Amino acid sequence: QVQLVESGGGLVQPGGSLRLSCAVSGSIFSIDVMRWYRQAPGKEREAVAAISSGGTIHYLESVKGRFTISRDNAKKMVYLQMNSLKPEDTAVYYCYINAAPLYSGPYYDYWGQGTQVTVSS
């Protein structure tokens, strides 16, 4: 069974930094895109950053220049380095992958349980 476990969230002051990690476990043959989403109270979930298997990266406009996504395919990990954090970055952050558990099999969507990031003084 495929599982995604996020870590690295917490409470940080405005201007501070956090690094989120997402570990993928279970039988996975191939991972295509890996993303970080976030959901603030009363708001819809939004994609924050994405990195394809080929290394193409996209960011939400409001985090460009502050957040950096990266992946380690050998370790089946994806990271989100968050700098210059603002109160409006406060949300639950979710890891997402689109992956095939079997050789030449279909791809599925997998989600982590989320990690809370709170930016406050």
Side-chain angles (χ1 to χ4, degrees), residues 68-81:
T68 302
I69 189 171
S70 60
R71 62 191 281 172
D72 185 328
N73 293 323
K75 294 182 178 179
K76 293 189 293 183
M77 299 281 294
V78 61
Y79 307 96
L80 186 68
Q81 177 66 43

Side-chain angles (χ1 to χ4, degrees), residues 57-75:
I57 291 174
H58 295 282
Y59 293 106
L60 181 68
E61 189 65 33
S62 61
V63 308
K64 283 182 180 178
R66 300 188 297 121
F67 290 11
T68 302
I69 189 171
S70 60
R71 62 191 281 172
D72 185 328
N73 293 323
K75 294 182 178 179

Side-chain angles (χ1 to χ4, degrees), residues 36-120:
W36 287 97
Y37 286 77
R38 68 185 181 188
Q39 187 166 21
K43 295 189 177 181
E44 293 188 355
R45 189 173 297 190
E46 62 182 355
V48 175
I51 183 167
S52 73
S53 56
T56 301
I57 291 174
H58 295 282
Y59 293 106
L60 181 68
E61 189 65 33
S62 61
V63 308
K64 283 182 180 178
R66 300 188 297 121
F67 290 11
T68 302
I69 189 171
S70 60
R71 62 191 281 172
D72 185 328
N73 293 323
K75 294 182 178 179
K76 293 189 293 183
M77 299 281 294
V78 61
Y79 307 96
L80 186 68
Q81 177 66 43
M82 305 186 294
N83 299 328
S84 302
L85 282 161
K86 304 176 181 180
E88 51 263 44
D89 295 317
T90 295
V92 178
Y93 283 71
Y94 297 90
C95 176
Y96 159 94
I97 66 170
N98 183 249
L102 300 173
Y103 175 74
S104 77
Y107 281 71
Y108 298 95
D109 297 331
Y110 299 95
W111 292 87
Q113 293 299 306
T115 184
Q116 177 70 46
V117 171
T118 302
V119 185
S120 175

Side-chain angles (χ1 to χ4, degrees), residues 14-29:
S17 297
L18 284 173
R19 188 190 193 214
L20 304 184
S21 299
C22 174
V24 180
S25 63
S27 177
I28 285 285
F29 172 72

